Amino acid sequence: MAKAKTVEGFIEGLDAEKAEIVRQVRKVVKAAAPDASEAIKWAQPVYEVNGPFAYLQAHSGHVNFGFWRGVELDDPEGLLQGTGEKMRHVKLSEAGEVKAQQDQFTAWVQQAVQLNLEKGNPTRG
């Protein structure tokens, strides 16, 4: 897949199921954080308010919806995966998973934005 310059271009390069997952997550993020900027950074869609807070990564069988401060997010159902010091993600294989977890995803986006506003850009320091 060629490197996309826009989120629309990124979506166009995906198969139908992954494209729909990305579209649905994108809607959730835009509704939960309407002031967030959206751009391709690190070859993936990245959402920013006072630094990056969320990203989407396409893999062969799924899409990761991830958070820079993932370890700090409330995750009562244990959906977030990862082993790094800060970042966590949820693997999405079907678009229906986004609708099923929409309330949780909305809460994570709002928490992630709030953490960036309180603590600053997570890529610095």
Side-chain angles (χ1 to χ4, degrees):
M1 181 166 99
K3 286 190 177 183
K5 293 183 178 11
T6 66
V7 176
E8 289 79 15
F10 179 86
I11 292 169
E12 288 172 11
L14 300 174
D15 66 48
E17 187 65 33
K18 284 185 268 201
E20 185 58 24
I21 292 167
V22 171
R23 282 188 202 99
Q24 288 188 23
V25 171
R26 193 177 187 203
K27 283 183 195 174
V28 171
V29 173
K30 287 183 173 193
D35 294 332
S37 66
E38 172 189 68
I40 296 293
K41 291 188 174 187
W42 305 286
Q44 62 198 4
V46 173
Y47 298 89
E48 295 184 276
V49 171
N50 202 26
F53 67 86
Y55 62 90
L56 290 161
Q57 259 180 357
H59 295 273
S60 60
H62 66 278
V63 173
N64 282 354
F65 178 30
F67 297 89
W68 260 260
R69 297 184 189 277
V71 297
E72 297 178 65
L73 299 177
D74 294 332
D75 185 19
E77 296 180 43
L79 300 174
L80 291 170
Q81 301 175 23
T83 58
E85 284 184 36
K86 296 179 182 178
M87 298 173 94
R88 292 290 181 271
H89 64 271
V90 61
K91 289 183 180 180
L92 301 166
S93 302
E94 300 175 1
E97 293 173 286
V98 179
K99 289 181 182 175
Q101 295 297 330
Q102 184 172 340
D103 290 344
Q104 181 61 73
F105 293 173
T106 297
W108 283 338
V109 167
Q110 291 170 340
Q111 270 190 295
V113 167
Q114 190 59 40
L115 286 166
N116 274 15
L117 291 173
E118 291 172 4
K119 297 182 174 190
N121 186 331
T123 64
R124 297 190 180 123

